[in-house]
Amino acid sequence: MIADLRALYRLLEPRQRRRLLWLQCLIVLMALGEIVSVVAVAQFMALIGNPGRLTSGEGRMAWLYQLSGSASPEAFLLLMGGGALAALVLAGACSGYTTWRLSLYGAQIGAELSSRLYRDFLHRPWLFHVRHSSSRLMHKTSQEVQRLTQRIVIPCLQLNARLVLVVFMTTMVFLYNPWVALTGLAIFVGAYLLLYRTVRKALTATGKRVSRHQAERYQLMSEGFGGIRELLLWHRQGPYVQRFEAASHKVARGQGVCQGLGEAPRYAIELLAFGSVILLVLYLLGRHDGEASHILPALSVYALAGFKMLPAFQRIYVNVAHIRGNLAAFEVLREDLAASRDAPPPVSEEPSVRPLVPAVAIELEEVSFRYPRAAEAALSGVSLRIPANHMVGLVGASGSGKSTLVDILLGLLTPDAGRVTIDGVPLDAARLRRWQEGIGFVPQQIFLTEGSIRENVAFGMARDAIDEARVLEAVRMAQLDELVASLPDGLDSHVGERGVQLSGGQRQRIGIARALYRRAGVLVFDEATSALDGVTERQVMADIQRFAGQMTVVLIAHRLGTVRHCDTIYMLDHGRLVDAGDFDGLASRNATFRLMADL
Ligand code: ADP
Ligand code: MG
C-alpha cells in the first residue's frame, strides 16, 4: 500500500506536489494548535483545582501570576480562562482552515487528473481507440478518477493530519506521564492494527470487485443507450436491466462493505477507550490515596488528549480502510496516469498549418498491417499509386481491408511494413500533420456534434471563425440546400442527439459537406455515399466529378456504379491487391468484378 501511494505521489505533477507540501505544513500547524489548546485548557483546569498555588510563590503558575500583575487570583483565573478560550478559538480556526483547504485541494486534484486523462486520451493514436472501448475510457476519466481522489488522495491527506496530531498528542502525554502515554498508545495501536489486519484482505478484494462491476455498469449503459433501437424492436431490455441491476447491487454492496468495515468497529474501540479510562482513574486514585483533587489535573490532560485522539485514531483507521478498499482504482488508472504524465506536449493545433497537397502522386509501397491480437493481416504487401488530381476507386468485399487502407492513407494507422509516400517523399511524423490538414474525409459513420448545421459543416471551428461562404458552397455541393431551406432555422438548426432528426442520407451529406468545407486537395470517401439514394448519390458524384483534374479523390464504394468514372479502380481481396484498371477493363476481364458490378 505504501509503495502504491508513493507511486501515486510520483505520478502527480510538480505543481500538485508543491501544493501538497504546503498543505503538509498547514497540517502540522493544525496539530500544533490542537496541542496548545489542550495544554492551555489542562493548565486552566489544574489551576481551578488548586488556586492556592498562585499565592504560594512556587512554580511556573505563581511566577506567571506575579508577571501578569493581576490584582487577585480571581482576576488571574479570568485571564487564564480567556487565554485558554483564545487558544481554543485559534486552534479551531486553524483546523477549520486546513480542513477547508484539504477539501478544495482534493477536489481540484480530481479535476486536474480527470482533465489530464481526457486530454491524453484525445491525443492517443487511432489504434489506441480501436483497442479500447469508449465506455471504458469514460469510466476511467470520470468514475475511477473520482474514486482515486475522494477515496485515496483526500483520505491520504486526512490520514496525514491525524497522524501528526496523534504523534504530537502522545508526545505531550508522554511528557506528563510516559507510562500512561505508552500504555494508551499500545492499547489503541494494537486494537486498530488487529482490526486492520483482519479486514485488509476483504477490503482489497471488495475494492477490485467495485472497479470491475462499475466498469460493467458503464458498458451496459453505453450498449443499452447506443443500441436502443434493437433493444426496443426485439424487446431485449430484460437481460440488460437484469445485468445492470446485478452489477449495481454488487457495486453498492462493495461500497457499503468498505464503508462499513471502516465505520462499524468504532463502537468496539470506544468501549475499549472507556474501559481504559476507568482503569486509568482507578490506577491514579490508587497512586494518590484516593484523593480526587490530586488526580484532576492529570486526568483532565488525559481526558482531553483522549478526546482528541480517539476520533483521530478512528479517522486514521477509516482512511486507511478507504485507501485500501479503493487502491483498485489506482491500479486501473496507473498506466494511464503514467502515460499522461510522460506524454509529449500535444502537436500544435493552430489551424494555420499549410496543407500538404500532392502534385505528382500518393503511393503505397508494399504496405502491410495487422491489427493487434488479430490472427490475420488486414493488409499484406499492398502497392498502389494514386496520381495527383485523379479519381481512384477502391473496391472489394467487406472485410477485404478497404477501410484499413484508408486509415493508413490518412496517417491514422502506421503500416507494420512498407510506407506511404507523397510525391516520392515518405510520410514521416513531421509531414503527417500537414498531410492530414489537406485531407477531406467522409467516413462510413458520420459523427454529428450537438450544434447547428453550420457548426457541423465547419467541424471543430470556433463559431466566429466559420467562413459563411464556404459553408454555403459546401452545403450546396453536398445537395443539402433543399434540406436546409426546409428547416425553420436554416443553417442554425440544431442537429445531433438533441436536435432535429436526420435520415441516414442527410447525415451522410453533412459529412460530405464537412469534407468539402475544408477545400482539401485530397478527398477520401469511405463508402460515404452508400446510404444515399441512387438519385442523390448520382448528383453528389456529379458534383464531385466537377473537381476531376482539380483535386485527388479516393472513392471506396461497394455500389460499383459509383466508381464507374474513376480513372483507376483497385480491387482488394483478403488484404491483397488482386486487380487494377479502369471500369471497362476490369469488367471485361475480371469475373468477380463483373459479379460485384452486377453486369
Ligand atoms: P473493409 O473496410 O474492406 O470492410 P476493414 O479494413 O474494415 O475492411 O477490415 C479489414 C480486416 O481487418 C477485416 O478482416 C477485419 O476483421 C479486420 N479488422 C478491422 N478492424 C479491426 C479491429 N479494430 N481489430 C481487429 N481487426 C480488425
Ligand atoms: Mg470499411
Side-chain angles (χ1 to χ4, degrees):
M1 187 167 113
I2 304 282
D4 286 324
L5 292 180
R6 274 229 294 279
L8 172 60
Y9 179 74
R10 278 198 295 272
L11 286 177
L12 296 179
E13 285 155 37
R15 185 168 44 108
Q16 292 172 326
R17 275 187 251 169
R18 273 200 302 279
R19 241 181 294 155
L20 208 62
L21 213 65
W22 181 72
L23 265 183
Q24 189 62 47
C25 295
L26 264 186
I27 285 167
V28 172
L29 207 67
M30 166 169 125
L32 272 176
E34 302 252 12
I35 301 291
V36 170
S37 69
V38 167
V39 172
V41 172
Q43 292 292 355
F44 179 68
M45 300 291 257
L47 213 55
I48 298 270
N50 188 5
R53 270 166 51 194
L54 290 181
T55 42
S56 70
E58 280 171 33
R60 276 165 303 164
M61 275 300 147
W63 175 75
L64 250 176
Y65 174 54
Q66 276 164 12
L67 201 72
S68 73
S70 301
S72 65
E74 286 74 28
F76 183 67
L77 273 184
L78 214 62
L79 201 69
M80 283 300 282
L85 200 64
L88 278 177
V89 168
L90 255 174
C94 187
S95 300
Y97 180 70
T98 308
T99 311
W100 166 255
R101 279 281 140 208
L102 275 178
S103 313
L104 279 188
Y105 177 69
Q108 200 173 342
I109 278 205
E112 284 172 3
L113 288 182
S114 180
S115 305
R116 179 166 132 189
L117 285 184
Y118 181 70
R119 185 187 321 121
D120 182 53
F121 287 153
L122 282 191
H123 283 95
R124 290 290 188 98
W126 171 234
L127 202 53
F128 173 85
H129 292 277
V130 164
R131 282 207 312 249
H132 295 84
S133 78
S134 59
S135 78
R136 190 91 186 96
L137 298 184
M138 264 150 53
H139 173 235
K140 283 183 181 178
T141 323
S142 56
Q143 201 71 34
E144 295 291 40
V145 168
Q146 175 98 352
R147 240 176 111 196
L148 180 76
T149 34
Q150 295 296 330
R151 294 300 192 188
I152 298 182
V153 175
I154 296 183
C156 249
L157 291 172
Q158 283 175 350
L159 178 86
N160 229 335
R162 304 298 166 202
L163 225 66
V164 172
L165 184 72
V166 163
V167 169
F168 281 12
M169 282 286 178
T170 314
T171 315
M172 190 198 76
V173 177
F174 189 87
L175 294 180
Y176 263 87
N177 187 332
W179 285 111
V180 171
L182 290 181
T183 319
L185 201 64
I187 289 177
F188 287 110
V189 170
Y192 273 111
L193 266 185
L194 197 71
L195 194 62
Y196 175 65
R197 294 196 79 83
T198 331
V199 299
R200 195 174 58 178
K201 282 221 177 66
L203 283 171
T204 308
T206 314
K208 288 206 174 112
R209 258 207 314 279
V210 169
S211 267
R212 202 168 58 239
H213 294 300
Q214 276 289 24
E216 189 185 348
R217 268 163 43 106
Y218 264 72
Q219 186 199 337
L220 287 170
M221 283 190 263
S222 143
E223 282 178 13
F225 300 138
I228 187 66
R229 256 163 69 95
E230 284 83 343
L231 290 189
L232 285 173
L233 176 64
W234 293 318
H235 298 273
R236 287 292 184 275
Q237 298 96 329
Y240 273 85
V241 174
Q242 275 159 21
R243 280 172 62 198
F244 191 82
E245 271 175 1
S248 300
H249 179 74
K250 282 179 187 142
V251 166
R253 167 112 194 132
Q255 285 172 337
V257 164
C258 281
Q259 188 88 14
L261 284 180
E263 304 287 352
R266 198 176 97 200
Y267 300 98
I269 302 280
E270 269 176 12
L271 208 64
L272 192 69
F274 283 122
S276 311
V277 169
I278 292 173
L279 279 181
L280 185 66
V281 170
L282 292 178
Y283 161 75
L284 288 176
L285 276 179
R287 267 191 51 185
H288 292 92
D289 312 320
E291 277 282 349
S293 67
H294 284 140
I295 66 165
L296 206 58
L299 206 58
S300 61
V301 170
Y302 305 145
L304 271 173
F307 175 71
K308 293 273 181 195
M309 284 221 290
L310 195 60
F313 267 118
Q314 173 60 21
R315 290 314 310 166
I316 289 176
Y317 168 71
V318 167
N319 285 325
V320 168
H322 280 165
I323 294 170
R324 169 62 66 171
N326 290 282
L327 267 184
F330 176 54
E331 283 309 317
V332 168
L333 292 176
R334 194 180 199 140
E335 271 178 38
D336 297 304
L337 283 177
S340 65
R341 193 198 46 181
D342 303 333
V347 279
S348 71
E349 282 181 17
E350 74 274 28
S352 57
V353 180
R354 197 162 44 88
L356 176 66
V357 178
V360 185
I362 309 159
E363 275 172 294
L364 264 67
E365 297 173 7
E366 292 293 326
V367 165
S368 297
F369 183 83
R370 192 160 64 90
Y371 285 97
R373 290 193 290 272
E376 282 182 41
L379 291 176
S380 20
V382 174
S383 297
L384 55 81
R385 182 180 152 87
I386 302 166
N389 305 325
H390 277 55
M391 202 154 148
V392 166
L394 205 59
V395 299
S398 65
S400 57
K402 304 182 298 289
S403 295
T404 308
L405 197 150
V406 162
D407 285 339
I408 285 178
L409 196 66
L410 299 178
L412 290 175
L413 292 175
T414 317
D416 298 335
R419 60 181 191 170
V420 180
T421 63
I422 316 293
D423 297 340
V425 185
L427 200 56
D428 55 8
R431 304 173 83 222
L432 188 63
R433 179 79 185 81
R434 287 182 51 211
W435 166 238
Q436 290 174 336
E437 190 61 30
I439 297 181
F441 172 56
V442 192
Q444 261 167 297
Q445 292 280 331
I446 300 296
F447 167 78
L448 293 182
T449 61
E450 288 189 24
S452 62
I453 294 189
R454 179 185 288 109
E455 286 163 315
N456 265 285
V457 169
F459 182 76
M461 300 279 286
R463 206 170 300 189
D464 47 4
I466 296 177
D467 184 335
E468 187 73 12
R470 271 164 80 164
V471 171
L472 289 172
E473 185 194 49
V475 161
R476 189 186 47 71
M477 284 177 57
Q479 310 286 329
L480 264 175
D481 34 10
E482 218 171 286
L483 169 75
V484 169
S486 74
L487 292 171
D489 293 332
L491 278 178
D492 289 313
S493 309
H494 273 243
V495 294
E497 277 210 10
R498 285 195 300 269
V500 275
Q501 294 304 305
L502 299 178
S503 73
Q506 290 165 336
R507 265 180 104 90
Q508 214 60 36
R509 277 180 276 161
I510 289 197
I512 294 171
R514 186 181 285 168
L516 294 173
Y517 175 86
R518 299 179 64 82
R519 286 201 184 141
V522 181
L523 267 182
V524 181
F525 291 79
D526 187 354
E527 306 202 4
T529 51
S530 35
L532 303 184
D533 58 279
V535 178
T536 314
E537 182 181 21
R538 266 195 295 282
Q539 283 169 347
V540 172
M541 290 319 298
D543 252 325
I544 292 170
Q545 268 153 31
R546 285 195 312 153
F547 291 115
Q550 293 173 37
M551 58 166 86
T552 314
V553 180
V554 179
L555 213 59
I556 296 176
H558 54 222
R559 266 208 299 260
L560 292 192
T562 319
V563 293
R564 179 178 284 274
H565 300 286
C566 287
D567 302 300
T568 315
I569 299 169
Y570 290 102
M571 242 181 111
L572 279 177
D573 185 36
H574 288 97
R576 289 174 193 282
L577 195 64
V578 288
D579 210 342
D582 63 5
F583 190 89
D584 295 331
L586 280 174
S588 64
R589 69 167 179 269
N590 195 310
T592 322
F593 189 83
R594 264 203 306 280
L595 213 61
M596 286 172 73
D598 219 2
L599 291 173

